Amino acid sequence: MTQQEAAPPVKPAAVQPPATAPTQAPAPAPTTPTSTKPAKAEPKRHGPLTSKQWVLAGVLGAFCALGMATAVVLVARGITSIESVAAFIQRYPGEYHLPESAPVGVPAWLAWNHFFNFFLMVLIIRSGLLVRHQKKPPAYWSSKRSPKISINLWLHLSLDLLWIINGLVFIAVLFASGHWMRIVPTSWEVFPNALSAALQYLTLDWPTENGWVNYNSLQQLAYFITVFLAAPLAAVTGFRLSAFWPKNPALGKRYPIEAARALHFPTMLYFVVFILVHVILVFSTGALRNLNHMYAAQGSADPTQYAGNWAGLLYFALSLLVITGAWIACKPVVLASIARFFGKVSSR
């Protein structure tokens, strides 16, 4: 054997797989740059609506009210044009003759009482709304004889007490002077005359009257209801809702608080409507003459005599300034400084 034959066979080199390039992460997808502009704030709401919505609702409501008022006037004019209705108005012109002993004019005490009553009524409504909508009272008031109550409720009850005292004085002087005959009906004719006056108001042909001598029958009924029905109802229901109601289960069962609550707020709404209608009619049926009667205690059996006198309007304007100042002053700081004279004021 030769040397060439004895050599072992050469193994072929192992075949290496070809080198592959290192894998790379896929390039990120291009992103849209985010806007740095802050999100638009939601419009502030006042109750269920925004300010803009309230304005639009007010404009729409005014147009609807104007349309309804126009329709009412047209319907009333159509009714009064009927021959039988016209004869009814001629027979019952809107007022009846008072007894011969009835006094004439508005005395100074009545003019002052009228202003003070208006002043108290506005603040009672203001404080009542504060009590109704308060979540956490700003302060509390208490005394040795009284339970702890919120300072808003203290204001409301204090004004109520002054209002009741003013009303009792008014009724006492009213009957002592004979002026009760001007607001208490003395004849059944008050009802057909009141209906006649209402029809004349609706047609915008105001009933001829002179409040210095006699109120028309619709006014008389409105004043009677306000003084002798609505005012006592407000006082009785308010007392039942107050913390001063006796802790007597039997008494509470006979006069449940739910009944008082169901009547008290609607009674307040009645006073609001009465004041608004009263002011509107005062200005639309002869503002200078009517304000002279009510605020300056000036008038005459001749309705034209004080028709150009501005004294009553001046007194009325001054009274509005006083009422506005008192309305603004109904703040915890001011109330606390006054309430401390009558008891203890605390934050809890």
Side-chain angles (χ1 to χ4, degrees):
M1 180 180 292
T2 61
Q3 186 177 2
Q4 187 176 4
E5 291 175 348
V10 180
K11 294 181 178 180
V15 180
Q16 300 291 334
T20 57
T23 58
Q24 297 181 352
T31 56
T32 341
T34 56
S35 174
T36 57
K37 187 178 179 181
K40 188 177 180 181
E42 288 289 333
K44 186 177 179 181
R45 290 182 175 272
H46 305 277
L49 303 178
T50 63
S51 301
K52 186 177 180 180
Q53 290 171 337
W54 275 117
V55 172
L56 293 176
V59 173
L60 181 61
F63 275 106
C64 291
L66 181 61
M68 292 178 62
T70 303
V72 168
V73 171
L74 293 176
V75 170
R77 286 182 176 270
I79 292 174
T80 54
S81 65
I82 300 173
E83 185 176 351
S84 58
V85 177
F88 172 82
I89 294 177
Q90 187 175 4
R91 181 179 178 183
Y92 299 103
E95 65 179 26
Y96 63 92
H97 294 292
L98 296 179
E100 294 182 1
S101 58
V104 175
V106 178
W109 65 265
L110 186 56
W112 160 255
N113 189 279
H114 184 274
F115 156 71
F116 194 47
N117 184 69
F118 182 38
F119 173 84
L120 292 175
M121 279 302 306
V122 171
L123 295 186
I124 285 172
I125 293 171
R126 158 82 161 153
S127 59
L129 292 175
L130 289 175
V131 172
R132 185 176 179 86
H133 297 293
Q134 70 179 2
K135 295 180 180 179
K136 182 181 179 182
Y140 294 89
W141 177 88
S142 63
S143 68
K144 294 180 180 180
R145 299 181 180 180
S146 304
K148 182 183 290 187
I149 56 177
S150 73
I151 198 165
N152 290 332
L153 182 56
W154 170 84
L155 173 65
H156 189 67
L157 294 176
S158 301
L159 292 169
D160 284 342
L161 181 60
L162 290 175
W163 182 65
I164 291 173
I165 294 173
N166 183 61
L168 292 175
V169 171
F170 167 74
I171 291 175
V173 181
L174 192 73
F175 280 94
S177 62
H179 277 270
W180 64 270
M181 286 179 279
R182 290 170 57 85
I183 66 171
V184 177
T186 57
S187 170
W188 290 107
E189 291 186 1
V190 66
F191 295 108
N193 275 290
L195 178 59
S196 173
L199 286 173
Q200 294 176 65
Y201 276 126
L202 292 177
T203 60
L204 299 185
D205 292 330
W206 309 123
T208 303
E209 53 89 23
N210 181 7
W212 187 259
V213 178
N214 188 13
Y215 299 125
N216 70 55
S217 294
L218 190 61
Q219 283 180 288
Q220 189 180 51
L221 286 177
Y223 295 155
F224 175 80
I225 291 172
T226 302
V227 173
F228 295 102
L229 297 179
L233 183 62
V236 172
T237 55
F239 179 58
R240 178 62 182 93
L241 294 173
S242 73
F244 300 96
W245 178 259
K247 307 298 181 183
N248 187 324
L251 191 59
K253 188 176 181 180
R254 292 180 181 177
Y255 185 16
I257 193 171
E258 293 78 13
R261 189 177 290 113
L263 292 172
H264 192 69
F265 186 69
T267 304
M268 187 204 74
L269 294 181
Y270 166 82
F271 279 106
V272 173
V273 173
F274 173 81
I275 292 172
L276 290 176
V277 174
H278 184 59
V279 171
I280 290 172
L281 290 179
V282 163
F283 277 87
S284 59
T285 59
L288 294 181
R289 183 190 63 201
N290 292 331
L291 290 174
N292 272 309
H293 296 172
M294 298 160 55
Y295 281 86
Q298 297 177 355
S300 170
D302 179 8
T304 63
Q305 186 168 348
Y306 285 89
N309 193 321
W310 290 74
L313 181 61
L314 176 61
Y315 292 150
F316 175 70
L318 292 175
S319 72
L320 289 183
L321 290 177
V322 173
I323 293 172
T324 303
W327 180 286
I328 297 172
C330 289
K331 295 181 178 179
V333 176
V334 179
L335 296 180
S337 61
I338 300 174
R340 286 192 180 95
F341 288 102
F342 306 95
K344 180 182 177 183
V345 177
S346 61
S347 58
R348 295 185 178 181

